[in-house]
Amino acid sequence: DVVENRSAQSAEMQMLYHCNFGPPFLEAGSRVLAPVREMAPQTPRAAEGVDSYETYSGPTIGFAEQVYLYDLLADDRGHTLSVLVNTAQDRAVAVRFNRNDLPCFTVWKNTGAVEDGYVTGLEPATNYPNFKGFERTQGRVRMLPPGGRWESRWSLEVCDTAASVSAVLAEVAVLQSHARAVVHRSPQARFSPP
């Protein structure tokens, strides 16, 4: 994707790719796995579920969304990924992206009733889903000069065998082996407003 500022003056830009997934990848016991450098719940509501932030429940009537904000580990070229894997580990979907272009990652858990949208979002982005004023103070709003361009590439990979799921989970494990994950139990000022 390319964003180009065709204006005669500088302009701000933000980009968040909201990739929603439901069944057959999302079910009771599904997990989202990524090489975590640091993770924090966005709100007190999300903090309520921090002990199971990687795991999904089945459809739950009246479920109130939970959002988790990640700083992910990457390889030497900036490549990283997140994986949503089903309970049997024979189906998964991986979102691959480059941290140099998309340094922020968000998981949106919305496991309400199927009729209300039983879904999760895996969201690589230039910023976290906060008000622009807060993201600006954190240095996460991009400024494009006149004629300036921002470009990124990302991809989705569907795994439909136990072997392919195992291979993509091994990629996560290799990246994770470079650092111990820091998981915050409450919202953190560098990720979201107090």
Side-chain angles (χ1 to χ4, degrees), residues 124-179:
T126 60
N127 54 279
Y128 295 112
N130 298 308
F131 289 117
K132 189 184 220 179
F134 177 79
E135 290 300 291
R136 191 181 292 120
T137 65
Q138 299 300 307
R140 293 189 290 252
V141 175
R142 304 269 173 125
M143 183 64 74
L144 293 180
R149 292 167 52 101
W150 172 87
E151 188 171 347
S152 76
R153 292 178 187 264
W154 61 278
S155 65
L156 298 176
E157 177 182 341
V158 174
C159 304
D160 60 358
T161 66
S164 61
V165 171
S166 180
V168 79
L169 293 180
E171 289 183 59
V172 172
V174 166
L175 290 173
Q176 189 64 67
S177 72
H178 297 289

Short mmCIF file of all heavy atoms in Angstrom, two decimals, residues 124-179:
data_model
loop_
_atom_site.label_atom_id
_atom_site.label_comp_id
_atom_site.label_asym_id
_atom_site.label_seq_id
_atom_site.Cartn_x
_atom_site.Cartn_y
_atom_site.Cartn_z
N PRO A 124 -1.99 -4.76 12.42
CA PRO A 124 -0.72 -4.04 12.29
C PRO A 124 -1.00 -2.59 11.92
O PRO A 124 -1.94 -2.30 11.18
CB PRO A 124 -0.01 -4.79 11.16
CG PRO A 124 -1.08 -5.47 10.39
CD PRO A 124 -2.22 -5.72 11.34
N ALA A 125 -0.17 -1.66 12.44
CA ALA A 125 -0.48 -0.25 12.24
C ALA A 125 0.74 0.64 12.45
O ALA A 125 1.75 0.23 13.01
CB ALA A 125 -1.58 0.16 13.22
N THR A 126 0.59 1.88 12.03
CA THR A 126 1.60 2.90 12.31
C THR A 126 1.44 3.43 13.73
O THR A 126 2.34 4.09 14.25
CB THR A 126 1.47 4.09 11.34
OG1 THR A 126 0.17 4.67 11.47
CG2 THR A 126 1.71 3.67 9.90
N ASN A 127 0.29 3.17 14.34
CA ASN A 127 -0.04 3.74 15.64
C ASN A 127 -1.02 2.81 16.35
O ASN A 127 -1.49 1.84 15.78
CB ASN A 127 -0.68 5.12 15.45
CG ASN A 127 -1.88 5.04 14.50
OD1 ASN A 127 -1.71 5.02 13.29
ND2 ASN A 127 -3.07 4.94 15.06
N TYR A 128 -1.32 3.12 17.60
CA TYR A 128 -2.33 2.36 18.34
C TYR A 128 -3.68 3.06 18.19
O TYR A 128 -3.74 4.25 17.87
CB TYR A 128 -1.94 2.24 19.81
CG TYR A 128 -0.67 1.43 20.00
CD1 TYR A 128 0.50 2.02 20.43
CD2 TYR A 128 -0.66 0.07 19.70
CE1 TYR A 128 1.66 1.27 20.58
CE2 TYR A 128 0.50 -0.68 19.84
CZ TYR A 128 1.65 -0.06 20.27
OH TYR A 128 2.80 -0.80 20.40
N PRO A 129 -4.79 2.34 18.40
CA PRO A 129 -6.12 2.93 18.18
C PRO A 129 -6.56 3.81 19.36
O PRO A 129 -7.48 3.50 20.10
CB PRO A 129 -7.02 1.70 18.02
CG PRO A 129 -6.34 0.64 18.83
CD PRO A 129 -4.87 0.91 18.70
N ASN A 130 -5.86 4.93 19.50
CA ASN A 130 -6.18 5.95 20.49
C ASN A 130 -6.52 7.23 19.75
O ASN A 130 -6.30 7.34 18.54
CB ASN A 130 -4.97 6.20 21.41
CG ASN A 130 -4.57 4.98 22.21
OD1 ASN A 130 -5.39 4.37 22.87
ND2 ASN A 130 -3.30 4.61 22.12
N PHE A 131 -6.99 8.24 20.49
CA PHE A 131 -7.24 9.53 19.86
C PHE A 131 -5.95 10.07 19.26
O PHE A 131 -4.86 9.87 19.79
CB PHE A 131 -7.80 10.52 20.87
CG PHE A 131 -9.21 10.21 21.29
CD1 PHE A 131 -9.49 9.89 22.61
CD2 PHE A 131 -10.25 10.24 20.37
CE1 PHE A 131 -10.79 9.60 23.01
CE2 PHE A 131 -11.54 9.94 20.76
CZ PHE A 131 -11.82 9.62 22.08
N LYS A 132 -6.08 10.75 18.13
CA LYS A 132 -4.92 11.26 17.40
C LYS A 132 -4.05 12.17 18.27
O LYS A 132 -2.82 12.12 18.17
CB LYS A 132 -5.37 12.00 16.15
CG LYS A 132 -4.24 12.37 15.22
CD LYS A 132 -4.78 13.18 14.06
CE LYS A 132 -4.14 12.79 12.77
NZ LYS A 132 -4.67 13.57 11.64
N GLY A 133 -4.66 12.98 19.12
CA GLY A 133 -3.88 13.87 19.97
C GLY A 133 -2.93 13.10 20.87
O GLY A 133 -1.76 13.50 21.04
N PHE A 134 -3.38 11.99 21.44
CA PHE A 134 -2.51 11.17 22.28
C PHE A 134 -1.41 10.53 21.44
O PHE A 134 -0.24 10.54 21.81
CB PHE A 134 -3.31 10.09 23.01
CG PHE A 134 -2.43 9.19 23.84
CD1 PHE A 134 -1.98 9.59 25.08
CD2 PHE A 134 -2.05 7.94 23.36
CE1 PHE A 134 -1.15 8.77 25.83
CE2 PHE A 134 -1.22 7.11 24.10
CZ PHE A 134 -0.77 7.53 25.35
N GLU A 135 -1.78 9.97 20.31
CA GLU A 135 -0.78 9.33 19.44
C GLU A 135 0.26 10.34 18.97
O GLU A 135 1.44 10.02 18.84
CB GLU A 135 -1.46 8.64 18.27
CG GLU A 135 -2.25 7.40 18.66
CD GLU A 135 -1.38 6.34 19.31
OE1 GLU A 135 -0.55 5.74 18.60
OE2 GLU A 135 -1.53 6.11 20.53
N ARG A 136 -0.17 11.57 18.74
CA ARG A 136 0.77 12.63 18.34
C ARG A 136 1.80 12.87 19.44
O ARG A 136 2.99 12.99 19.18
CB ARG A 136 -0.01 13.91 18.02
CG ARG A 136 0.82 14.98 17.36
CD ARG A 136 -0.01 16.24 17.08
NE ARG A 136 -1.04 16.02 16.08
CZ ARG A 136 -2.36 16.17 16.30
NH1 ARG A 136 -2.81 16.52 17.48
NH2 ARG A 136 -3.20 15.96 15.32
N THR A 137 1.34 12.92 20.71
CA THR A 137 2.28 13.17 21.81
C THR A 137 3.27 12.02 21.98
O THR A 137 4.35 12.21 22.52
CB THR A 137 1.56 13.39 23.16
OG1 THR A 137 0.88 12.20 23.56
CG2 THR A 137 0.59 14.56 23.09
N GLN A 138 2.90 10.82 21.52
CA GLN A 138 3.78 9.66 21.62
C GLN A 138 4.68 9.51 20.39
O GLN A 138 5.44 8.55 20.29
CB GLN A 138 2.93 8.39 21.80
CG GLN A 138 2.08 8.38 23.05
CD GLN A 138 2.91 8.49 24.31
OE1 GLN A 138 3.84 7.72 24.51
NE2 GLN A 138 2.59 9.45 25.16
N GLY A 139 4.56 10.42 19.42
CA GLY A 139 5.39 10.37 18.23
C GLY A 139 4.97 9.31 17.23
O GLY A 139 5.78 8.89 16.39
N ARG A 140 3.69 8.89 17.29
CA ARG A 140 3.24 7.82 16.40
C ARG A 140 2.36 8.30 15.24
O ARG A 140 1.81 7.49 14.50
CB ARG A 140 2.51 6.74 17.22
CG ARG A 140 3.45 6.01 18.17
CD ARG A 140 2.81 4.83 18.82
NE ARG A 140 1.78 5.16 19.78
CZ ARG A 140 1.90 5.04 21.10
NH1 ARG A 140 3.03 4.59 21.64
NH2 ARG A 140 0.90 5.35 21.90
N VAL A 141 2.24 9.61 15.07
CA VAL A 141 1.52 10.15 13.91
C VAL A 141 2.58 10.53 12.89
O VAL A 141 3.48 11.31 13.18
CB VAL A 141 0.65 11.36 14.29
CG1 VAL A 141 0.01 11.97 13.05
CG2 VAL A 141 -0.42 10.95 15.30
N ARG A 142 2.49 9.96 11.71
CA ARG A 142 3.48 10.22 10.65
C ARG A 142 3.20 11.57 10.00
O ARG A 142 2.04 11.92 9.76
CB ARG A 142 3.43 9.13 9.58
CG ARG A 142 3.60 7.72 10.09
CD ARG A 142 5.05 7.32 10.07
NE ARG A 142 5.24 6.03 10.70
CZ ARG A 142 5.81 5.00 10.11
NH1 ARG A 142 6.23 5.09 8.87
NH2 ARG A 142 5.97 3.88 10.78
N MET A 143 4.26 12.28 9.67
CA MET A 143 4.14 13.54 8.94
C MET A 143 4.75 13.33 7.56
O MET A 143 5.92 12.95 7.45
CB MET A 143 4.87 14.66 9.69
CG MET A 143 4.72 16.01 9.04
SD MET A 143 3.03 16.64 9.01
CE MET A 143 2.81 17.09 10.72
N LEU A 144 3.94 13.56 6.55
CA LEU A 144 4.43 13.45 5.18
C LEU A 144 4.64 14.84 4.61
O LEU A 144 3.72 15.67 4.62
CB LEU A 144 3.43 12.70 4.30
CG LEU A 144 3.20 11.22 4.61
CD1 LEU A 144 2.19 10.64 3.63
CD2 LEU A 144 4.50 10.44 4.56
N PRO A 145 5.84 15.13 4.12
CA PRO A 145 6.07 16.43 3.50
C PRO A 145 5.34 16.51 2.17
O PRO A 145 4.86 15.48 1.65
CB PRO A 145 7.59 16.45 3.30
CG PRO A 145 7.96 15.01 3.16
CD PRO A 145 7.01 14.26 4.06
N PRO A 146 5.24 17.68 1.55
CA PRO A 146 4.62 17.78 0.23
C PRO A 146 5.28 16.79 -0.74
O PRO A 146 6.50 16.71 -0.82
CB PRO A 146 4.89 19.23 -0.19
CG PRO A 146 5.06 19.97 1.10
CD PRO A 146 5.71 18.99 2.04
N GLY A 147 4.47 15.99 -1.39
CA GLY A 147 4.99 14.98 -2.31
C GLY A 147 5.56 13.75 -1.62
O GLY A 147 6.01 12.82 -2.28
N GLY A 148 5.51 13.72 -0.29
CA GLY A 148 6.06 12.59 0.47
C GLY A 148 5.20 11.35 0.33
O GLY A 148 4.00 11.43 0.09
N ARG A 149 5.84 10.20 0.51
CA ARG A 149 5.16 8.92 0.38
C ARG A 149 5.45 8.05 1.59
O ARG A 149 6.54 8.10 2.15
CB ARG A 149 5.64 8.18 -0.87
CG ARG A 149 5.25 8.81 -2.16
CD ARG A 149 6.00 8.23 -3.35
NE ARG A 149 5.94 6.79 -3.45
CZ ARG A 149 5.15 6.11 -4.27
NH1 ARG A 149 4.33 6.74 -5.07
NH2 ARG A 149 5.18 4.80 -4.31
N TRP A 150 4.49 7.23 1.93
CA TRP A 150 4.66 6.17 2.92
C TRP A 150 4.20 4.90 2.24
O TRP A 150 3.20 4.87 1.52
CB TRP A 150 3.81 6.45 4.16
CG TRP A 150 3.78 5.32 5.14
CD1 TRP A 150 4.67 5.08 6.14
CD2 TRP A 150 2.82 4.26 5.20
NE1 TRP A 150 4.34 3.95 6.83
CE2 TRP A 150 3.20 3.42 6.27
CE3 TRP A 150 1.69 3.92 4.46
CZ2 TRP A 150 2.47 2.28 6.62
CZ3 TRP A 150 0.97 2.79 4.80
CH2 TRP A 150 1.36 1.99 5.87
N GLU A 151 4.96 3.83 2.44
CA GLU A 151 4.64 2.58 1.76
C GLU A 151 4.82 1.41 2.71
O GLU A 151 5.72 1.42 3.56
CB GLU A 151 5.58 2.40 0.56
CG GLU A 151 5.23 1.25 -0.33
CD GLU A 151 6.04 1.25 -1.62
OE1 GLU A 151 6.69 2.27 -1.94
OE2 GLU A 151 6.01 0.22 -2.30
N SER A 152 3.94 0.43 2.60
CA SER A 152 4.08 -0.79 3.39
C SER A 152 3.59 -1.98 2.60
O SER A 152 2.80 -1.84 1.66
CB SER A 152 3.30 -0.68 4.71
OG SER A 152 1.92 -0.84 4.48
N ARG A 153 4.07 -3.13 3.02
CA ARG A 153 3.61 -4.39 2.47
C ARG A 153 3.28 -5.30 3.65
O ARG A 153 4.02 -5.34 4.62
CB ARG A 153 4.68 -5.06 1.61
CG ARG A 153 4.98 -4.32 0.35
CD ARG A 153 6.09 -5.04 -0.43
NE ARG A 153 6.49 -4.22 -1.57
CZ ARG A 153 6.02 -4.38 -2.78
NH1 ARG A 153 5.14 -5.32 -3.04
NH2 ARG A 153 6.43 -3.62 -3.76
N TRP A 154 2.18 -6.00 3.54
CA TRP A 154 1.80 -6.97 4.55
C TRP A 154 1.04 -8.08 3.85
O TRP A 154 0.61 -7.92 2.71
CB TRP A 154 0.99 -6.33 5.68
CG TRP A 154 -0.30 -5.71 5.24
CD1 TRP A 154 -0.48 -4.49 4.68
CD2 TRP A 154 -1.59 -6.31 5.29
NE1 TRP A 154 -1.81 -4.29 4.39
CE2 TRP A 154 -2.51 -5.38 4.76
CE3 TRP A 154 -2.07 -7.54 5.75
CZ2 TRP A 154 -3.87 -5.66 4.68
CZ3 TRP A 154 -3.42 -7.82 5.67
CH2 TRP A 154 -4.31 -6.88 5.13
N SER A 155 0.90 -9.19 4.52
CA SER A 155 0.22 -10.31 3.86
C SER A 155 -0.50 -11.19 4.89
O SER A 155 -0.19 -11.15 6.07
CB SER A 155 1.22 -11.16 3.08
OG SER A 155 2.15 -11.78 3.96
N LEU A 156 -1.44 -11.96 4.36
CA LEU A 156 -2.15 -12.97 5.14
C LEU A 156 -1.73 -14.34 4.61
O LEU A 156 -1.58 -14.53 3.40
CB LEU A 156 -3.66 -12.84 4.97
CG LEU A 156 -4.30 -11.54 5.43
CD1 LEU A 156 -5.79 -11.55 5.10
CD2 LEU A 156 -4.08 -11.35 6.91
N GLU A 157 -1.54 -15.27 5.53
CA GLU A 157 -1.19 -16.64 5.15
C GLU A 157 -2.15 -17.59 5.86
O GLU A 157 -2.27 -17.53 7.08
CB GLU A 157 0.24 -16.94 5.57
CG GLU A 157 0.68 -18.35 5.28
CD GLU A 157 2.11 -18.60 5.76
OE1 GLU A 157 2.86 -17.64 5.97
OE2 GLU A 157 2.45 -19.79 5.94
N VAL A 158 -2.83 -18.42 5.11
CA VAL A 158 -3.75 -19.41 5.68
C VAL A 158 -3.03 -20.74 5.78
O VAL A 158 -2.44 -21.22 4.80
CB VAL A 158 -5.03 -19.53 4.83
CG1 VAL A 158 -5.91 -20.66 5.33
CG2 VAL A 158 -5.79 -18.21 4.82
N CYS A 159 -3.09 -21.34 6.95
CA CYS A 159 -2.50 -22.67 7.19
C CYS A 159 -3.65 -23.64 7.39
O CYS A 159 -4.49 -23.43 8.26
CB CYS A 159 -1.62 -22.64 8.43
SG CYS A 159 -0.30 -21.41 8.38
N ASP A 160 -3.67 -24.72 6.60
CA ASP A 160 -4.81 -25.65 6.68
C ASP A 160 -4.39 -27.08 6.99
O ASP A 160 -5.15 -28.02 6.77
CB ASP A 160 -5.66 -25.58 5.42
CG ASP A 160 -4.88 -25.95 4.16
OD1 ASP A 160 -3.66 -26.23 4.25
OD2 ASP A 160 -5.49 -25.95 3.08
N THR A 161 -3.16 -27.25 7.49
CA THR A 161 -2.70 -28.57 7.94
C THR A 161 -1.95 -28.39 9.26
O THR A 161 -1.43 -27.31 9.55
CB THR A 161 -1.74 -29.22 6.93
OG1 THR A 161 -0.54 -28.44 6.86
CG2 THR A 161 -2.37 -29.34 5.55
N ALA A 162 -1.88 -29.45 10.02
CA ALA A 162 -1.15 -29.39 11.29
C ALA A 162 0.32 -29.05 11.04
O ALA A 162 0.93 -28.30 11.81
CB ALA A 162 -1.28 -30.71 12.04
N ALA A 163 0.89 -29.55 9.96
CA ALA A 163 2.30 -29.29 9.65
C ALA A 163 2.54 -27.82 9.34
O ALA A 163 3.51 -27.21 9.81
CB ALA A 163 2.76 -30.15 8.49
N SER A 164 1.65 -27.20 8.56
CA SER A 164 1.84 -25.79 8.22
C SER A 164 1.61 -24.91 9.45
O SER A 164 2.28 -23.89 9.62
CB SER A 164 0.94 -25.38 7.05
OG SER A 164 -0.43 -25.54 7.35
N VAL A 165 0.68 -25.29 10.31
CA VAL A 165 0.46 -24.55 11.56
C VAL A 165 1.70 -24.65 12.43
O VAL A 165 2.19 -23.65 12.98
CB VAL A 165 -0.79 -25.06 12.31
CG1 VAL A 165 -0.88 -24.44 13.70
CG2 VAL A 165 -2.05 -24.75 11.51
N SER A 166 2.24 -25.84 12.56
CA SER A 166 3.43 -26.05 13.37
C SER A 166 4.60 -25.20 12.87
O SER A 166 5.34 -24.60 13.65
CB SER A 166 3.81 -27.54 13.36
OG SER A 166 4.95 -27.77 14.13
N ALA A 167 4.75 -25.10 11.56
CA ALA A 167 5.84 -24.33 10.97
C ALA A 167 5.71 -22.83 11.29
O ALA A 167 6.69 -22.18 11.65
CB ALA A 167 5.90 -24.55 9.46
N VAL A 168 4.50 -22.30 11.19
CA VAL A 168 4.32 -20.87 11.45
C VAL A 168 4.46 -20.57 12.94
O VAL A 168 5.00 -19.53 13.33
CB VAL A 168 3.00 -20.35 10.82
CG1 VAL A 168 1.80 -20.69 11.65
CG2 VAL A 168 3.06 -18.86 10.57
N LEU A 169 4.02 -21.48 13.80
CA LEU A 169 4.20 -21.29 15.24
C LEU A 169 5.68 -21.37 15.62
O LEU A 169 6.13 -20.68 16.54
CB LEU A 169 3.38 -22.31 16.03
CG LEU A 169 1.86 -22.16 15.92
CD1 LEU A 169 1.16 -23.24 16.75
CD2 LEU A 169 1.40 -20.77 16.34
N ALA A 170 6.44 -22.17 14.90
CA ALA A 170 7.88 -22.24 15.14
C ALA A 170 8.55 -20.91 14.80
O ALA A 170 9.50 -20.50 15.49
CB ALA A 170 8.50 -23.37 14.31
N GLU A 171 8.06 -20.22 13.78
CA GLU A 171 8.60 -18.88 13.46
C GLU A 171 8.40 -17.92 14.61
O GLU A 171 9.29 -17.14 14.95
CB GLU A 171 7.92 -18.32 12.21
CG GLU A 171 8.29 -18.97 10.92
CD GLU A 171 7.61 -18.29 9.76
OE1 GLU A 171 7.84 -17.06 9.58
OE2 GLU A 171 6.85 -18.95 9.04
N VAL A 172 7.21 -17.96 15.22
CA VAL A 172 6.93 -17.11 16.38
C VAL A 172 7.88 -17.46 17.51
O VAL A 172 8.47 -16.58 18.16
CB VAL A 172 5.45 -17.24 16.84
CG1 VAL A 172 5.23 -16.50 18.15
CG2 VAL A 172 4.50 -16.74 15.75
N ALA A 173 8.06 -18.75 17.75
CA ALA A 173 8.94 -19.20 18.85
C ALA A 173 10.38 -18.74 18.65
O ALA A 173 11.05 -18.34 19.61
CB ALA A 173 8.86 -20.71 19.00
N VAL A 174 10.87 -18.80 17.43
CA VAL A 174 12.26 -18.36 17.16
C VAL A 174 12.40 -16.88 17.47
O VAL A 174 13.36 -16.46 18.13
CB VAL A 174 12.65 -18.66 15.69
CG1 VAL A 174 13.92 -17.91 15.30
CG2 VAL A 174 12.82 -20.15 15.48
N LEU A 175 11.47 -16.05 17.03
CA LEU A 175 11.54 -14.62 17.33
C LEU A 175 11.41 -14.38 18.83
O LEU A 175 12.12 -13.55 19.40
CB LEU A 175 10.47 -13.86 16.56
CG LEU A 175 10.67 -13.75 15.05
CD1 LEU A 175 9.46 -13.12 14.40
CD2 LEU A 175 11.94 -12.98 14.72
N GLN A 176 10.50 -15.11 19.49
CA GLN A 176 10.29 -14.91 20.93
C GLN A 176 11.53 -15.31 21.73
O GLN A 176 11.77 -14.77 22.81
CB GLN A 176 9.08 -15.70 21.40
CG GLN A 176 8.67 -15.38 22.83
CD GLN A 176 8.20 -13.94 23.00
OE1 GLN A 176 7.16 -13.56 22.46
NE2 GLN A 176 8.96 -13.12 23.70
N SER A 177 12.34 -16.22 21.20
CA SER A 177 13.53 -16.68 21.93
C SER A 177 14.56 -15.57 22.14
O SER A 177 15.46 -15.73 22.96
CB SER A 177 14.16 -17.87 21.20
OG SER A 177 14.79 -17.45 19.99
N HIS A 178 14.40 -14.46 21.46
CA HIS A 178 15.35 -13.35 21.59
C HIS A 178 15.09 -12.46 22.80
O HIS A 178 15.95 -11.65 23.16
CB HIS A 178 15.37 -12.51 20.31
CG HIS A 178 15.84 -13.29 19.13
ND1 HIS A 178 17.15 -13.69 18.96
CD2 HIS A 178 15.17 -13.79 18.07
CE1 HIS A 178 17.27 -14.38 17.84
NE2 HIS A 178 16.08 -14.46 17.28
N ALA A 179 13.93 -12.58 23.41
CA ALA A 179 13.61 -11.75 24.58
C ALA A 179 12.43 -12.34 25.33
O ALA A 179 11.55 -12.97 24.73
CB ALA A 179 13.28 -10.32 24.16
#
